[in-house]
Amino acid sequence: MTVLHARPYAPKRGPPDGHLAGESSAVAVNITRFHNVFLYQSHSPVPELLRDLGMLGRLDARAEKQLGALTTAAWLTTIPGGSLILLCCYASWASAVSSDVPFSWQGAQPLKNGFLLGLLLLAVGGLFFLWRAMLKPRDLDNRRYGLARVLLQRLQVDLAPDAPVRLKLDLRQPDVREKRVRQDMVGWWRTEFFVDPWLTLEARLADGTFLRIRMVEKHQKRERYKTSASGKTKKKSKRKGFARLEVSLRVKPERHPRLGTLKGQTTNATRLPPRVQLERVRVAADRLSLRVRLAGDWVARAQKAPEDPETPAFWKEALEKDDASRTATMMLLSLYQVVRYARRRGKQRAAWARRQSV
């Protein structure tokens, strides 16, 4: 069962209000509700989730096309309208200066009509800009559903056939009011702090291990007013942020004896891409987890750099961004290395105990 919600994580009831052209009825969703809250949750097999994520991508592409058309229409009406108003005002001023007779709109009907037409074009352009602002939340962050798609494709081989996966995506903008946790002054900057836990993926793998992947982004919006030497006051603003990615495994403690003593081995076994920072390692009798920190400009899946021998190596390294899907894969493999070691050690001890009892 697939859900695109009008309420946070509440199942859909009743027929959908609409669906994308070309979509089958099996994936028809309530697009109107989704565009109200931009929350997605499903507990379904991987093929159904991938189909839904593909539909989200098409919704996003359609929104980007609409926003582009509205932007073009807004500028094509605003610029001519403003130019026409300025031209009419200049013509009326020039006519009044060069003539001894006081200027009157009654004797300059073409200028009056041009001025009114300019006002109309400005009003239409303003409506286009307003419409664009209302549709802006529909322009989703491609990285979010893209990362979920890549992770599902890679995990599919480790899942039992038709095994359900629980996926939650918060596709709202990262600076909505509900995600703001506090406001404070940082130096001279008035700062708003946002916490955005937007991804949760849970699945039981084919060997019985329970996997959870979570991603949280933290953002800051800073602004201040600065007065220059000439007395002009200018507003300066900037944004900064980072992402935390956490991968955890839960296992049966009887099959992995003394797992809680392997924190040092877990830290040593962890392998991460360059520049990704390991923040936390947790190991208990029945679970273990890793948490890392990514830069705010992370990508879902890094594209290969062109093999150009003329490009300096340090340029290629500077242009690379943190690959979230690769990081999650390496974290999972690192944890599984420890799990296999604990399982193998448990089997060896059990075999040794059986030999001693004979």
Side-chain angles (χ1 to χ4, degrees):
M1 178 182 65
T2 302
V3 184
L4 287 177
H5 301 277
R7 300 181 180 87
Y9 310 141
K12 179 188 68 176
R13 294 182 175 86
D17 294 341
H19 58 276
L20 290 176
E23 293 290 337
S24 64
S25 59
V27 294
V29 296
N30 195 322
I31 297 175
T32 303
R33 289 184 178 182
F34 175 71
H35 281 159
N36 287 334
V37 292
F38 301 99
L39 299 175
Y40 171 85
Q41 173 179 284
S42 181
H43 189 213
S44 306
V46 172
E48 294 186 18
L49 295 178
L50 292 175
R51 185 171 54 192
D52 288 349
L53 293 175
M55 186 191 59
L56 289 179
R58 290 188 288 276
L59 278 175
D60 185 29
R62 187 171 70 177
E64 291 176 355
K65 187 180 297 184
Q66 290 175 341
L67 291 174
L70 287 173
T71 302
T72 303
W75 286 116
L76 288 179
T77 51
T78 302
I79 294 178
S83 302
L84 190 57
I85 290 176
L86 291 176
L87 181 61
C88 292
C89 291
Y90 175 78
S92 61
W93 173 80
S95 176
V97 169
S98 61
S99 176
D100 296 333
V101 180
F103 177 79
S104 174
W105 284 109
Q106 295 179 354
Q109 191 64 31
L111 290 179
K112 180 179 179 180
N113 294 338
F115 185 81
L116 294 177
L117 178 59
L119 287 178
L120 178 61
L121 290 175
L122 273 182
V124 172
L127 290 177
F128 279 133
F129 277 120
L130 179 61
W131 191 3
R132 184 187 184 280
M134 294 174 61
L135 294 182
K136 186 65 172 66
R138 298 187 181 185
D139 185 11
L140 308 178
D141 188 344
N142 303 13
R143 303 178 303 170
R144 297 196 168 187
Y145 59 81
L147 175 60
R149 181 190 298 124
V150 176
L151 292 177
L152 289 171
Q153 290 171 343
R154 293 181 180 177
L155 288 174
Q156 191 171 13
V157 297
D158 296 318
L159 298 172
D162 297 328
V165 176
R166 187 180 302 277
L167 177 64
K168 295 180 182 180
L169 295 176
D170 186 343
L171 299 174
R172 294 175 294 173
Q173 299 294 322
D175 57 352
V176 296
R177 179 172 297 182
E178 292 81 358
K179 299 180 181 181
R180 188 176 65 191
V181 293
R182 66 187 178 98
Q183 294 176 282
D184 203 352
M185 294 296 296
V186 178
W188 296 98
W189 296 89
R190 179 179 175 273
T191 307
E192 294 180 292
F193 297 85
F194 299 87
V195 177
D196 185 10
W198 65 270
L199 169 66
T200 301
L201 190 154
E202 298 175 346
R204 188 167 297 280
L205 305 180
D207 63 352
T209 303
F210 183 80
L211 166 69
R212 173 180 291 171
I213 300 176
R214 296 182 69 249
M215 194 164 187
V216 179
E217 293 194 59
K218 294 192 173 184
H219 300 272
Q220 293 183 20
K221 288 175 60 177
R222 298 185 176 188
E223 62 179 27
R224 67 172 180 174
Y225 292 89
K226 185 176 181 180
T227 303
S228 62
S230 60
K232 294 182 179 180
T233 301
K234 295 183 179 180
K235 179 181 177 181
K236 299 183 65 177
S237 61
K238 63 179 181 179
R239 294 171 178 254
K240 59 185 300 186
F242 63 92
R244 282 193 172 121
L245 178 63
E246 182 174 0
V247 177
S248 60
L249 296 177
R250 191 171 73 237
V251 298
K252 296 180 179 180
E254 59 272 13
R255 296 180 58 187
H256 306 81
R258 299 176 60 85
L259 178 63
T261 64
L262 299 180
K263 183 175 181 179
Q265 288 87 336
T266 304
T267 304
N268 295 332
T270 301
R271 298 292 181 267
L272 298 172
R275 297 180 305 278
V276 176
Q277 304 175 20
L278 178 63
E279 283 194 341
R280 189 180 70 190
V281 179
R282 284 184 174 177
V283 180
D286 63 339
R287 66 193 64 199
L288 63 169
S289 67
L290 297 174
R291 191 178 76 184
V292 301
R293 176 169 174 158
L294 306 175
D297 60 347
W298 59 271
V299 295
R301 187 175 187 178
Q303 302 296 327
K304 294 183 179 180
E307 300 298 331
D308 186 359
E310 301 296 329
T311 304
F314 67 91
W315 280 12
K316 292 183 179 180
E317 184 176 353
L319 292 174
E320 290 180 354
K321 297 182 179 181
D322 293 342
D323 186 338
S325 62
R326 182 188 176 200
T327 303
T329 304
M330 295 180 69
M331 293 168 69
L332 178 58
L333 293 176
S334 300
L335 291 177
Y336 246 103
Q337 185 176 349
V338 179
V339 168
R340 292 193 187 100
Y341 171 75
R343 187 182 303 171
R344 185 171 61 251
R345 188 177 65 172
K347 290 181 179 179
Q348 291 174 351
R349 292 196 175 191
W352 181 83
R354 285 194 299 269
R355 287 196 300 267
Q356 293 296 321
S357 62
V358 175

